[in-house]
Amino acid sequence: MERKEKKMKFNKVDKATLEKAKEILEKAEDKSQAILEAVELINEAANKDLIERILKESANANAKAQNFNKLGLRQLSDEENKFYDALKTNVRQAIDGKQIDLIPTTIIDNTLVDVKKASDLLSLVSFAPSDVKKWLSASKTGTYAWGKLTDAVKGELNVAFESLNIELGKITAYLVLPKAIRDLSNPFVDKYFTAILAETVNDGLEYAFLLGTGVEQPIGVFRKINEVETNGEHKMKTKNSKLTEFTPKGLAPVKIQLSHDGKRAIPSLALVCNPNDEAAYVDPALYVQALAGGYVQVSKDKIRTIPTANCPKGQAGLFIDKPDYYTMGLSAIQVKEYDQTKAMDDADVIIAKAYGNGRAVDDDVCFYFDPTKLVEYVPKYFQTNAQTQATE
């Protein structure tokens, strides 16, 4: 049987190819290399149709992937396709009341990536994976020790761990899914669904990051982590009113706090405020017109301003411009059809309940201050009079 298969294989190869293979074997000085070349030549000829088909399929796949990327579409998993098939057919079919994590976790993670891209404020947040219910938030203390190479370890990097229950809070969002979207393929439904979901939860996540009370919601950075009111809400921090300018002297208290007693480096700063306060107080204090034209920051340290309507007027915060010090997570998103909708023949309203939590590693993460105390920067000019005296 083996010989017959080999004979059939060679029968697929034309005579010219066999003659060329024979010539390679006869003329080659390196016989082992020649055998490899001859086998490769015969194999390519025998499987010509198969190779061409695979190359064509590969080219089509690459072209499709390129189109997907251009359109901002994703290649969906079987689980995601199953969810969208059910969602398009009947919202209720996508729901199993016995579960909480009804939306595939990959869709949640992808949505949070979109949220973070769209929100400058949430670039300061590290999102925990959606398939975890508990998350450890850690802050390094920077302990070290020197010793001989043969010595036992005398010091270790101490880390203060805090457990974050991602299932603690719940944010409710209302999504409108036009029936026309159901006629599209699942990747387009995914693009629409995640975009609307991201837009809907964005404000809730921004508010939670800044002002979350800690009662069935994250603890905001404007609040104290370990101090609560009688109603269980975490106490608001006291606004610092002494920050009036962005000079090295003015920013010294800010950098001392954010560095957490010198344990954290500060490559750059992020300033979060209300858009009105940015225009009235932050910009006049932070920018000055250059002699060559245009405006430049007066601060020695690079400061990125993040205006957001979710920050109340009269409140602002300065942060290390990294997402390392605040963790937020959504463990699941539960969806169900809103059955109170009337006269909406062309759309379905879906209630999405996202379960999550968040908190900073410590209270030093945010320097909470009153932006109305900032004063306009007035440049100082120094004039030197050089007097020359003639000498004889």
Side-chain angles (χ1 to χ4, degrees):
M1 186 68 180
E2 236 177 80
R3 291 176 187 168
K4 187 177 180 182
E5 286 183 354
K6 288 182 178 180
K7 186 176 181 182
M8 290 175 64
K9 188 88 170 178
F10 278 87
N11 284 341
K12 292 182 180 180
V13 182
D14 59 83
K15 186 176 179 179
T17 302
L18 291 174
E19 289 293 332
K20 187 174 181 180
K22 183 180 178 181
E23 183 180 357
I24 291 174
L25 291 171
E26 289 177 345
K27 294 184 176 180
E29 294 181 3
D30 187 345
K31 294 299 181 181
S32 59
Q33 180 63 31
I35 292 172
L36 290 175
E37 291 178 8
V39 170
E40 184 178 9
L41 180 67
I42 294 172
N43 192 50
E44 287 183 358
N47 297 291
K48 181 180 179 182
D49 293 340
L50 176 61
I51 292 172
E52 288 180 353
R53 177 164 60 83
I54 292 176
L55 289 174
K56 185 177 180 180
E57 290 174 353
S58 176
N60 289 338
N62 289 335
K64 185 177 180 181
Q66 290 173 2
N67 290 334
F68 266 44
N69 291 334
K70 289 178 182 178
L71 296 173
L73 304 175
R74 295 190 305 124
Q75 297 282 1
L76 303 181
S77 67
D78 291 341
E79 184 184 16
E80 291 171 329
N81 276 313
K82 182 179 179 181
F83 170 78
Y84 286 125
D85 286 340
L87 191 67
K88 289 191 297 182
T89 304
N90 187 331
V91 174
R92 290 187 179 90
Q93 291 184 17
I95 299 168
D96 178 357
K98 297 179 181 179
Q99 298 183 40
I100 274 185
D101 49 341
L102 301 171
I103 295 181
T105 56
T106 50
I107 295 178
I108 300 175
D109 289 336
N110 188 63
T111 300
L112 292 178
V113 169
D114 291 342
V115 168
K116 193 164 183 175
K117 287 180 181 177
S119 171
D120 287 338
L121 179 59
L122 296 178
S123 67
L124 300 174
V125 173
S126 175
F127 284 106
S130 60
D131 59 349
V132 299
K133 303 297 186 285
K134 300 282 186 179
W135 188 257
L136 291 179
S137 178
S139 178
K140 298 176 184 177
T141 62
T143 302
Y144 64 90
W146 284 92
K148 295 180 180 179
L149 291 176
T150 56
D151 284 355
V153 177
K154 293 182 177 180
E156 62 181 26
L157 186 64
N158 292 333
V159 179
F161 287 102
E162 294 287 347
S163 177
L164 183 63
N165 182 4
I166 303 298
E167 295 183 293
L168 177 65
K170 179 174 65 179
I171 178 173
T172 302
Y174 291 87
L175 316 177
V176 177
L177 183 67
K179 287 185 170 64
I181 296 295
R182 297 179 180 181
D183 297 331
L184 303 178
S185 62
N186 285 348
F188 286 94
V189 178
D190 172 71
K191 182 178 180 180
Y192 179 87
F193 185 84
T194 55
I196 297 300
L197 181 60
E199 181 181 349
T200 305
V201 302
N202 178 80
D203 286 345
L205 296 181
E206 285 199 356
Y207 161 81
F209 170 69
L210 295 175
L211 292 162
T213 65
V215 178
E216 296 185 355
Q217 57 187 257
I219 304 172
V221 289
F222 289 173
R223 296 180 182 269
K224 296 181 179 180
I225 295 175
N226 297 314
E227 295 185 33
V228 297
E229 304 283 2
T230 54
N231 62 0
E233 293 185 358
H234 287 249
K235 291 183 178 180
M236 290 290 295
K237 294 177 179 176
T238 301
K239 282 189 291 187
N240 186 297
S241 299
K242 295 182 179 180
L243 178 61
T244 60
E245 57 185 3
F246 297 114
T247 61
K249 188 70 173 178
L251 284 174
V254 177
K255 297 173 72 175
I256 289 172
Q257 176 186 316
L258 295 182
S259 72
H260 198 53
D261 197 25
K263 296 181 180 68
R264 294 196 281 251
I266 306 176
S268 58
L269 297 169
L271 191 158
V272 178
C273 62
N274 185 275
N276 280 1
D277 289 337
E278 180 192 35
Y281 307 106
V282 175
D283 281 353
L286 187 56
Y287 292 94
V288 66
Q289 189 170 19
L291 295 176
Y295 284 83
V296 295
Q297 282 196 10
V298 301
S299 172
K300 162 183 169 290
D301 300 277
K302 182 181 178 182
I303 299 178
R304 177 170 67 112
T305 56
I306 304 177
T308 172
N310 290 307
C311 181
K313 288 188 291 185
Q315 301 182 46
L318 276 160
F319 304 80
I320 296 176
D321 198 359
K322 295 175 66 178
D324 297 355
Y325 308 111
Y326 190 99
T327 301
M328 186 179 288
L330 297 180
S331 63
I333 297 182
Q334 181 181 22
V335 296
K336 69 176 182 178
E337 192 172 26
Y338 184 58
D339 54 10
Q340 302 300 318
T341 308
K342 297 181 180 179
M344 291 194 69
D345 294 335
D346 59 343
D348 283 329
V349 175
I350 301 168
I351 301 175
K353 295 183 179 180
Y355 296 79
N357 199 3
R359 54 156 287 175
V361 296
D362 53 60
D363 284 332
D364 287 343
V365 163
C366 171
F367 184 89
Y368 181 52
F369 71 100
D370 184 351
T372 67
K373 302 301 181 182
L374 294 170
V375 297
E376 182 178 4
Y377 178 80
V378 178
K380 298 177 182 178
Y381 297 99
F382 299 93
Q383 182 176 357
T384 57
N385 296 320
Q387 295 182 352
T388 59
Q389 183 176 358
T391 58
E392 297 182 10

